Amino acid sequence: QEQMMRFSQKFAGYTLAEADNLRKAAGKKKRELMAREREKFIEGCVANDYGEQFGKDKFDVIEGFADYAFNKSHSYGYGLVAYQTAYLKANYPTEYLACLLTSVKNKLETAAVFLNDCRQLGINVLVPDINTSDLDFGSIPDQDGRTLHGRTLNAITFGLSGVRNVGEGIVEKIIEERTDNGPFESFGAFCDRVELSVLNKRAIESLIKAGAFDSLGHPRKGLLMIHEEFINKTVQRRKEEDMGVQTLFGAMEDTDEAYDDRPSIAEEYFDKTARLKLEKEMLGLYVSDHPLMGVEAALQARASATVGDLAEFDDGAQVAVGGVVSSLVKKWTKKGELMAVFVLEDLSSSIETMVFPRTFTDYGHLLEDDRIVVVRGRVSRRDEDPKLMVSQVEVVDADALAREKPITITVRPDQLSDAAVADLKACLSEHPGRTPIVIDMGTPQLIRLSDAYRVDSGNGLFADLRVMFGADCIG
């Protein structure tokens, strides 16, 4: 672009401002602006005694260049940043991904791709922790001791400021107290030590739902059941102490038998579904677990693409995608018909999904938040971000997915020549379905084939396999 600007000044007599307008027209690939510039450029070349044909020839070069014009200085800058970030991701993946998550902490719904990167690299992302989390995402030594490229990986700590309804002011006061006087030993100790302004019931409720007190040994459900009464009694007692009011049992407060009228925390736990639903509500992400963990392979066997793949599909492409329903909104159209909009999320990414009235009539009753589904429809690329227009919805039973029993093929190692392996692949590919395949070669370790080779056990599959490997190859 700089060369183009200088060329237009020297040969067509452009001013700096006019040369910059030409740069804008080329950089933004605006054909109508380039057409206007052509006439001006040629006239300038004629006026500077370079001739009309010279002007036409040179502008043809500029116009073709406008199909993709990029500043050399920008190219250098992007190249350097690409190298730096690649180096950081390869050598300091935990710290790098923690920074990426911090960069989107105010819109964590978009961070699923980063969280999936963490899972793929074996990096644990921990729920917020009142004793180890800082304001933003950070890293601490991972107790699992995982390694990558010979280096021990850290774990990523979820920033306390990323919890919904918890402001940075509250977080800073929590961290200040923790830094000055050490970690909190219990929920009671936390309530006794932090400033009273921190004991905001809405904020504390959000921290509990997010798992911030898990490391203190308190179950989330049990703590939610009593946190309001617990805070009320704590605030009342601390205000009385500040006013110099002596409690009836004050004399016992410095002994091992100190009286505490605050309610005890029951050993009540949420089931996985309820726990993850609250976690997602507070954090914008499934962090400690995911509804699809353990069933993602079986779910993908029912689909033609992942959500992350859809960015590469053309407008109008027909796809089948599996995932979890979230942020479901049902609304009325101007014609008084009911439709739905929701976010479909899998382990790779998420996408806005539309269910128009005709489809909603047939499938609307199947849609619920946190439900696992496979949807079929077309990709729409009318907007900057792709959307999915649904034509069919299938509800998937996660428990049934997890229980899917594979077909075991028993073979001897000497039966698996290159030709036999090629025949086996062809055979399995001719019977696509949902059932996984396991190979038993008589060794302690069974070989589970990839999901690309899931099969339908009907249509003569077993007969074909017995011809290849003998009558006893299928149990």
Side-chain angles (χ1 to χ4, degrees):
Q1 288 185 12
E2 291 93 337
Q3 291 171 335
M4 178 179 63
M5 292 172 67
R6 185 75 184 108
F7 193 93
S8 65
Q9 288 177 265
K10 181 172 178 59
F11 294 101
Y14 276 39
T15 65
L16 279 172
E18 290 170 334
D20 191 51
N21 288 335
L22 177 61
R23 177 196 64 79
K24 291 176 182 176
K28 295 180 180 179
K29 305 173 183 61
K30 293 189 174 181
R31 294 290 183 184
E32 65 279 6
L33 292 181
M34 290 298 291
R36 290 200 293 268
E37 291 290 344
R38 169 181 282 276
E39 183 177 349
K40 180 178 179 180
F41 184 91
I42 294 172
E43 290 176 353
C45 289
V46 171
N48 284 291
D49 297 327
Y50 290 103
E52 182 178 357
Q53 191 59 45
F54 176 89
K56 289 180 178 178
D57 292 344
K58 300 311 175 188
F59 199 85
D60 286 343
V61 175
I62 290 175
E63 195 168 40
F65 172 68
D67 286 336
Y68 191 75
F70 206 78
N71 288 349
K72 189 178 292 185
S73 56
H74 282 194
S75 299
Y76 174 85
Y78 278 116
L80 178 61
V81 171
Y83 174 82
Q84 291 171 331
T85 53
Y87 176 86
L88 290 172
K89 187 172 182 180
N91 293 279
Y92 303 96
T94 306
E95 293 77 5
Y96 172 70
L97 285 162
C99 289
L100 283 180
L101 287 165
T102 295
S103 73
V104 294
K105 71 176 185 179
N106 294 322
K107 194 179 179 184
L108 281 169
E109 291 83 354
T110 65
V113 64
F114 300 147
L115 201 61
N116 191 52
D117 267 355
C118 294
R119 293 188 179 110
Q120 295 296 323
L121 291 170
I123 297 172
N124 282 328
V125 180
L126 309 176
V127 293
D129 190 305
I130 208 72
N131 276 331
T132 59
S133 294
D134 290 321
L135 185 69
D136 293 324
F137 289 81
S139 66
I140 60 173
D142 189 356
Q143 294 180 351
D144 291 346
R146 302 183 184 187
T147 61
L148 180 69
H149 307 316
R151 299 187 181 190
T152 301
L153 287 172
N154 288 337
I156 292 178
T157 56
F158 203 104
L160 290 173
S161 64
V163 181
R164 196 155 285 152
N165 306 322
V166 180
E168 292 190 2
I170 288 178
V171 174
E172 288 170 353
K173 291 176 181 178
I174 292 172
I175 294 174
E176 181 180 359
E177 170 59 30
R178 190 180 73 199
T179 303
D180 291 343
N181 299 303
F184 304 104
E185 297 177 353
S186 66
F187 182 69
F190 171 83
C191 292
D192 289 337
R193 287 171 48 184
V194 297
E195 291 187 20
L196 288 178
S197 60
V198 173
L199 298 180
N200 175 295
K201 292 177 186 175
R202 189 181 184 196
I204 298 301
E205 178 182 345
S206 296
L207 288 170
I208 294 170
K209 290 178 178 178
F213 297 99
D214 289 0
S215 65
L216 303 181
H218 303 313
R220 299 182 197 181
K221 185 175 182 179
L223 201 49
L224 276 176
M225 291 166 61
I226 57 88
H227 78 283
E228 290 194 13
E229 183 183 356
F230 200 104
I231 290 172
N232 286 339
K233 289 184 178 293
T234 299
V235 171
Q236 180 183 357
R237 186 179 70 183
R238 288 181 60 179
K239 286 182 177 179
E240 289 175 349
E241 289 173 352
D242 290 342
M243 292 187 296
V245 177
Q246 179 70 38
T247 66
L248 177 63
F249 299 97
M252 298 175 60
E253 289 183 354
D254 294 327
T255 72
D256 292 337
E257 299 178 356
Y259 174 73
D260 193 337
D261 64 345
R262 297 177 297 190
S264 58
I265 302 169
E267 291 294 315
E268 294 280 348
Y269 296 85
F270 288 116
D271 60 29
K272 176 181 174 178
T273 301
R275 173 171 56 83
L276 289 180
K277 182 177 182 179
L278 293 175
E279 195 173 289
K280 175 75 180 291
E281 179 187 342
M282 292 300 106
L283 304 179
L285 294 166
Y286 296 111
V287 178
S288 64
D289 204 338
H290 194 285
L292 300 183
M293 292 291 282
V295 301
E296 65 272 24
L299 181 65
Q300 188 53 39
R302 290 162 163 74
S304 62
T306 67
V307 174
D309 293 335
L310 299 184
E312 307 299 324
F313 279 71
D314 294 332
D315 183 59
Q318 295 292 323
V319 294
V321 187
V324 180
V325 175
S326 64
S327 305
L328 174 65
V329 176
K330 299 178 181 180
K331 53 188 179 181
W332 298 95
T333 67
K334 292 180 179 179
K335 294 182 178 180
E337 298 173 311
L338 200 56
M339 64 170 291
V341 179
F342 64 91
V343 174
L344 184 69
E345 176 186 333
D346 66 7
L347 294 176
S348 67
S349 190
S350 59
I351 188 170
E352 185 176 347
T353 306
M354 318 286 287
V355 184
F356 292 114
R358 181 179 297 178
T359 304
F360 188 89
T361 300
D362 296 329
Y363 299 103
H365 64 287
L366 301 178
L367 297 173
E368 291 182 10
D369 275 325
D370 304 304
R371 177 166 277 180
I372 300 175
V373 296
V374 172
V375 298
R376 291 170 177 81
R378 64 177 177 86
V379 177
S380 172
R381 304 194 66 89
R382 293 183 180 179
D383 299 322
E384 182 177 350
D385 296 321
K387 292 181 172 58
L388 190 58
M389 308 301 175
V390 174
S391 58
Q392 293 180 348
V393 178
E394 174 192 355
V395 176
V396 179
D397 184 345
D399 292 334
L401 282 180
R403 291 194 302 268
E404 279 190 349
K405 185 178 180 180
I407 295 171
T408 301
I409 305 173
T410 303
V411 297
R412 300 188 311 274
D414 62 290
Q415 290 179 295
L416 290 177
S417 63
D418 290 345
V421 170
D423 290 342
L424 176 59
K425 287 182 178 180
C427 176
L428 299 179
S429 298
E430 290 172 0
H431 299 82
R434 299 178 177 179
T435 307
I437 293 289
V438 170
I439 304 294
D440 182 355
M441 299 176 63
T443 60
Q445 187 68 40
L446 299 178
I447 301 172
R448 187 183 181 100
L449 299 189
S450 75
D451 290 332
Y453 296 104
R454 285 179 173 252
V455 297
D456 179 351
S457 57
N459 300 320
L461 171 65
F462 288 175
D464 291 345
L465 291 172
R466 288 179 174 124
V467 169
M468 295 172 62
F469 300 114
D472 298 329
C473 71
I474 301 295

